[in-house]
Amino acid sequence: MPDATSPAVTPDMPKRADFPAGFIFGAATAAYQIEGHAFGGAGPCHWDSFAATGRNVVGNEDGARACEHYTRWPEDLDLLRDGGFDAYRFSTSWARVMPDGVQVNPEGLDFYDRLVDGMIARGLAPYLTLYHWDLPSALADRGGWANRETAERFADYAAAVMARIGDRVARTATINEPWCVSWLSHFEGHHAPGLRDIRATARAMHHIQLAHGLALQKLRAAGHRDLGIVLNFSEVLPAHPGAGTAVDLSDALSNRWFIDSITRGTYPQVALDGLGPHMPQDWQADMALISAPLDWLGVNYYTRALVSHDAGAPWPCIRNHQGPLPKTQMGWEIYPDGLRNLLVRMARDYVGTLPLVVTENGMAWDDAVQDGQVADPMRQAYVAAHLNATRHAISEGANVQGFFYWSLLDNYEWAFGYEKRFGLVHVDFETMQRTPKASYHMLKAAVS
Ligand code: GCO
C-alpha cells in the first residue's frame, strides 16, 4: 500500500518556487455544501425544496447538516493553516444572512464576521463569493432568477454582507458559475429550481448577469475594491470530424454568453437565435452595467465537452459524447490541457493582463479511510497535472495569480448528495471526523 502521507508519490508535482512570487495557493468551499443550513437561523432556500422533491437528488439528501462547518469551522480553518495554504475561498449564504431574502438576520452576519476574523488570525486571505446558489425561498416563490427583482435584491444583500466584512476580505466574487445558476437549473433542470423552460432560462441567463452588474455598481459606490466574478468554462471540442455547428453553439451557451457579456457587453448571436424571443424586454439597456470593468476574473475548470450536431433533436440540437480519457468519480474526463487552453484564451481574447484566479479545480473519487489514512493517488496526479497546466498558461502570458483546489472538504455535491468526494480532507458524515488525504499532505509539502 502506498504511504498515504508521503509527499513523494507524484514526481511531477510542482513546488511553490515554480510559480511567480506572490502566487496564492488555496482551497475552496461553498456555504450550502458545508455549513449545515439547519443551524443558526438561516431561512429556507430553493435547494431545500429541490432536494425534498423526490428524484432530484441522490437519496433526497440536503444541506441541513452537511459538514457541520457552522460549529466546526475553527477546526476547518486550522486544516487550511496547517496545510500551508495562503487563502480560503468561501461563500456567504444569502438565506442565512437574509432568511426572507430582504431583512438581515444579525446572527448570520455575526457568523461570517467570526469566520473572517478566524481566517485573518490564521494568516489566511479571505476570498469571498456572495452567491453560491442558496437563493432564499421567499424570492424563489416570486419567480427566482426569472424575475428581475431578484437581481435587485441581490445587490442589496451584497451590500449588506460587504458593509460587515468587506474591510477584511482580499477578493470578492459576486456570482459563482452563472451558467449553472441559469442554463443547468432552468433549461436542463439538474439544479434548483429544476425547471425545463426556455423562457425562464433566457430570463435567468440575463438576470444573473444583471445581478452581477447591479452588485458591482453598488459595491463600487460604497468604496469596495478587488471585485470580480467566477465563471465556469469547459473546452468544447468536436466529438468527431464533421460535428457541425454544435461546437460553436455549445461554446456560445456555456462559455461566451457569460464572458462576452461581462467583458464586451454582448451576447453571442448564435445563442440569441434560440433564446432571443424569450428574453426580457429591453435587455439591451442593461449591457453597459453588466460589462462594467472588473478587478479580477475567477475561472472554474473541471473537464472538456465533446459534442456533435444532432439534427433530430430540438434546439440547441447538441449531443454530448463520452470521451476516451480516464474519468473521475463524476464520469468527467481528466483533461488538464483544457485548463491551460482556457487560461490562455481568457488572457488573449478577453481580459489581457487582468488578474486571473483558478477559483475551482479538483476531482471526485470514492475515497475511504484505511488505518487512519486516505490514499488518493488519482487526485495527487490530477492536482499535479492541473498545477502544471496553470504554470504553462502563465509561461504563455496569462496573468494567473492563484489556484484554489475544489474542495477543502468532502461535502454536499448538489444533485449527487454526499456520494461524490472532492475533498482534500475526508469527512465521515456520521461522526463528522475529518481525515486529511494524501493529496492534502502532498500539497502541504509543495507549498509550505
Ligand atoms: C461549482 C460548484 C461546486 C461543485 C463543484 C463540483 O462551482 O461548480 O461550485 O459547488 O461542487 O463544481 O461539481
Side-chain angles (χ1 to χ4, degrees), residues 54-87:
R55 295 199 289 272
N56 281 338
V57 177
V58 171
N60 276 16
E61 289 170 329
D62 61 26
R65 189 175 176 216
C67 306
E68 292 187 0
H69 174 78
Y70 186 77
T71 51
R72 295 170 187 270
W73 62 266
E75 180 186 352
D76 294 337
L77 296 187
D78 287 351
L79 283 164
L80 285 157
R81 179 199 55 205
D82 297 345
F85 291 100
D86 308 305

Side-chain angles (χ1 to χ4, degrees), residues 27-30 33-35 66-70 72-73 75-77 79-80 88 363 367 379 405-413 418 420-429 432-437 440:
T29 65
Q33 294 178 273
I34 63 165
E35 285 177 357
C67 306
E68 292 187 0
H69 174 78
Y70 186 77
R72 295 170 187 270
W73 62 266
E75 180 186 352
D76 294 337
L77 296 187
L79 283 164
L80 285 157
Y88 175 42
M363 65 165 276
D367 303 306
R379 183 174 293 102
Y405 180 82
W406 179 273
S407 178
L408 173 66
L409 303 171
D410 292 343
N411 60 40
Y412 181 65
E413 179 52 26
Y418 293 95
K420 308 292 186 203
R421 296 184 173 274
F422 275 89
L424 293 172
V425 175
H426 181 277
V427 177
D428 178 326
F429 292 108
M432 293 295 152
Q433 183 166 351
R434 276 82 163 134
T435 307
K437 302 178 189 177
Y440 170 95

Side-chain angles (χ1 to χ4, degrees), residues 223 413 439 441:
E413 179 52 26
S439 52
H441 296 293

Side-chain angles (χ1 to χ4, degrees), residues 33 132-133 176-177 300 302 332 360 406 413-414 422:
Q33 294 178 273
H132 205 126
W133 309 349
N176 179 69
E177 301 192 347
N300 291 356
Y302 290 92
W332 297 347
E360 285 180 31
W406 179 273
E413 179 52 26
W414 307 112
F422 275 89

Side-chain angles (χ1 to χ4, degrees), residues 174 211-221 227-228 289-290 292-294:
T174 52
H212 160 78
L214 287 168
L216 206 66
Q217 182 183 49
K218 203 158 191 155
L219 296 179
R220 292 237 185 267
L227 307 175
L289 192 67
I290 291 173
L294 298 172

